[in-house]
Amino acid sequence: MITTTLWFILAGPLALAAIGLVPVSTAATLRLARGAALATLATALAMPLVILWNGPLHTGNGVPGFGLWFDVLTAVMFLLVAFVGTIVVIYSRNYMDGDPGHARFTRLLCVTLAAVLILILSGNLIQFALAWVATSLGLNRLLLFYPNRPAAILAARKKFLASRLGDLCLLAAILLIYNSFHSFDYAAIFAAAKAATSTPALAAAGVLTALAALLKSAQVPLHGWLTEVMETPTPVSALLHAGIINAGGFLLLRFADILLLSPPALYLLAIIGGFTALFASVVMLTQTSIKLSLAWSTIAQMGFMLLQCGLGAWSAALLHILAHSLYKAHAFLSSGSVIDIARASWSPSPGGQPHPARMGIAVGLVLAITLLVSTLFGVTPFEQPGVFALGTIMLLGLTHLIAQSIDERPNTVVIIRTLALAALVATGWFALQAGIARVMATTLPATAPPSGPLILVIALLVVLGFAAVTILQSTFARANTTPRVRALYVHVSNGFYVNTIANRLVLRLWPTRTPIR
């Protein structure tokens, strides 16, 4: 019964892969792709009920290097990717209508989507590694869908080099894990990891796994390719930013028990993830292109997610992946209507001149509200720094709303209502976090950051950094009159030229025939 159920789950991804590998007419390809995507989504919607009835499912089916693993984490991620993938497949039907390569594009899309789904379903390290590489290669083909565009070639080559480096890290980590536990099978590895103690080999495996995730998630300094993939059709951007880019996060969540045996890996994730989140968020504020701003946003959000993993907030990282994927898929697919949306949502600015200190007061109120509400939910900066830090950073988004209520003509009712709204948002977020933690209690480790003051320092610096950016954002427009500030704006908008240096290195190693403009 269990084997039959798992093969039923695998039927959707296999159908998508078959559509991608067997060329038929354009009309047939479109019909089959839509049908396979909808069937996969229907399966994904039904499988949580199977988990509630039977519990986690696992089988190797007697085939070396093959296995399926279906637990709560698999069910959540499988449903997320199936949903986003189905939307993208349906959207691309009209978006690519009339393009000579419509059928080819749909086949590549189906193969890539199938690779991501098989990656999620994998119950064996060998199968996971093969699906990991297949996902990267499929994405590379999509990025080069228009092969004569020089910018697309450069972005694809940078992505290719970063991915191959990540593949090497993952393969080395797998070999170390096998050497430690003498198995490629998830069931044996997870059971042994829960009872194991840290060793040099496991610590190294954790660091290599973290590096593979960092490279997959476009973190500094190898982040530039993600900002240069706009030459590909919009459906690819939606699938990339809402699905494929999350593979690094899924890797960390799946092997969280092993990462807990490697404190250096957690420190690495927290430091690079926190720095990338802050760096990319600042650069994002200076972008004038909608899609480019969304790309920098994705880099920052992936940094947040990796920071949470480094701080041991596994369930919060999963919640972040879910929220970001749904938001970013909608943002890319609706990017063409952004002007109309902005006009419809216009509102007048508050009257009077703003008080110079009102942003500082608003930030202080946000921090106080977050601390109060988080304490009520049992989340403290010392015990769960990752959950607290993300909640604080999210609520900093309300700083401008609170600051507007503290104007030269303040109204007590307006201020109280605004603060109550902030408290309600904080309550909603921490309630969601508590809910996802309860749902994932049997799959993900409990929130447990590595010991030592460094983790608290990292969390505090990230929160203070974003508080400073929030204040800077409100004052930058008034200060943007001096030559130094204007020069700084140019440097920030270019990402401090980190990507420019990467472009030059790639062009030296792998020159293109057509000059890059």
Side-chain angles (χ1 to χ4, degrees):
M1 174 62 183
I2 293 179
T3 303
T4 303
T5 302
L6 286 169
W7 274 108
F8 177 70
I9 300 170
L10 191 59
L14 291 178
L16 288 168
I19 293 169
L21 297 176
V22 180
V24 293
S25 66
T26 300
T29 298
L30 299 181
R31 288 195 303 269
L32 291 172
R34 181 175 181 176
L38 289 172
T40 303
L41 178 59
T43 303
L45 290 169
M47 291 322 297
L49 300 177
V50 176
I51 291 235
L52 291 175
W53 183 261
N54 290 319
L57 307 178
H58 170 252
T59 180
N61 204 38
V63 180
F66 176 83
L68 297 178
W69 183 272
F70 202 91
D71 58 5
V72 180
L73 176 61
T74 307
V76 171
M77 293 299 296
F78 189 83
L79 177 57
L80 173 67
V81 175
F83 176 73
V84 173
T86 301
I87 297 298
V88 170
V89 168
I90 295 174
Y91 179 91
S92 63
R93 183 186 182 102
N94 291 331
Y95 183 90
M96 298 297 295
D97 188 30
D99 192 295
H102 193 174
R104 178 170 60 90
F105 175 84
T106 302
R107 289 196 296 269
L108 289 173
L109 192 64
C110 288
V111 169
T112 306
L113 181 58
V116 178
L117 292 170
I118 293 174
L119 174 76
I120 294 171
L121 290 172
S122 296
N124 184 284
L125 290 178
I126 296 177
Q127 182 182 340
F128 184 94
L130 292 175
W132 177 277
V133 175
T135 300
S136 177
L137 295 178
L139 175 61
N140 192 264
R141 293 292 301 275
L142 285 170
L143 296 181
L144 289 172
F145 180 71
Y146 297 116
N148 296 323
R149 297 183 177 181
I153 295 173
L154 180 60
R157 288 182 177 180
K158 288 163 62 179
K159 171 65 174 68
F160 184 87
L161 294 174
S163 295
R164 299 297 75 77
L165 183 58
D167 295 344
L168 291 176
C169 291
L170 179 62
L171 292 175
I174 288 174
L175 291 177
L176 288 172
I177 292 172
Y178 178 79
N179 186 61
S180 299
F181 300 127
H182 307 291
S183 177
F184 291 112
D185 189 72
Y186 281 5
I189 292 172
F190 295 159
K194 292 181 186 300
T197 57
S198 181
T199 64
L202 289 174
V207 171
L208 289 167
T209 302
L211 287 174
L214 290 168
L215 290 165
K216 196 76 166 182
S217 299
Q219 298 296 281
V220 173
L222 301 180
H223 62 284
W225 65 267
L226 191 61
T227 66
E228 297 179 343
V229 296
M230 306 310 169
E231 297 288 339
T232 192
T234 295
V236 178
S237 297
L239 183 62
L240 167 60
H241 289 261
I244 298 174
I245 199 70
N246 292 320
F250 177 73
L251 170 67
L252 299 176
L253 295 176
R254 175 54 74 204
F255 300 106
D257 290 322
I258 295 175
L259 288 167
L260 288 175
L261 300 174
S262 177
L266 298 179
Y267 288 127
L268 180 66
L269 290 170
I271 293 172
I272 296 183
F275 175 80
T276 300
L278 185 60
F279 174 81
S281 296
V282 173
V283 177
M284 180 193 69
L285 297 175
T286 64
Q287 303 305 306
T288 56
S289 166
I290 297 300
K291 287 189 175 182
L292 195 57
S293 178
L294 289 174
W296 280 105
S297 170
T298 297
I299 296 172
Q301 295 297 332
M302 291 299 101
F304 278 127
M305 183 267 300
L306 296 173
L307 169 67
Q308 290 168 321
C309 291
L311 297 177
W314 308 104
S315 56
L318 177 61
L319 180 61
H320 196 153
I321 287 175
L322 296 175
H324 173 258
S325 295
L326 296 176
Y327 150 71
K328 196 54 64 72
H330 176 268
F332 266 102
L333 296 180
S334 62
S335 59
S337 306
V338 68
I339 301 300
D340 296 332
I341 295 173
R343 289 173 177 172
S345 60
W346 178 86
S347 60
S349 60
Q353 293 296 321
H355 191 279
R358 70 188 179 104
M359 286 300 297
I361 296 172
V363 168
L365 290 172
V366 166
L367 295 176
I369 291 171
T370 306
L371 183 60
L372 175 62
V373 175
S374 65
T375 302
L376 295 176
F377 279 89
V379 177
T380 66
F382 300 98
E383 295 180 358
Q384 301 186 45
V387 178
F388 178 81
L390 180 65
T392 304
I393 294 169
M394 184 199 69
L395 286 171
L396 283 172
L398 297 176
T399 301
H400 292 280
L401 180 64
I402 296 174
Q404 286 180 5
S405 68
I406 311 172
D407 208 340
E408 281 192 346
R409 297 190 295 270
N411 185 295
T412 304
V413 175
V414 173
I415 294 175
I416 293 175
R417 186 172 59 187
T418 305
L419 295 178
L421 175 62
L424 180 63
V425 172
T427 301
W429 189 88
F430 284 106
L432 279 174
Q433 159 57 30
I436 195 72
R438 182 181 293 267
V439 171
M440 304 303 298
T442 59
T443 303
L444 294 177
T447 300
S451 59
L454 180 58
I455 287 297
L456 293 177
V457 171
I458 293 172
L460 178 62
L461 289 177
V462 171
V463 171
L464 292 179
F466 275 93
V469 170
T470 302
I471 298 174
L472 178 65
Q473 183 182 5
S474 66
T475 59
F476 193 82
R478 295 195 301 273
N480 194 21
T481 56
T482 64
R484 289 185 178 180
V485 174
R486 288 198 296 267
L488 177 62
Y489 185 92
V490 173
H491 298 325
V492 174
S493 64
N494 285 280
F496 293 100
Y497 311 103
V498 175
N499 191 40
T500 302
I501 297 172
N503 286 344
R504 291 176 179 175
L505 291 175
V506 171
L507 288 174
R508 286 183 181 180
L509 294 173
W510 197 348
T512 58
R513 296 180 180 179
T514 306
I516 305 296
R517 295 183 175 86

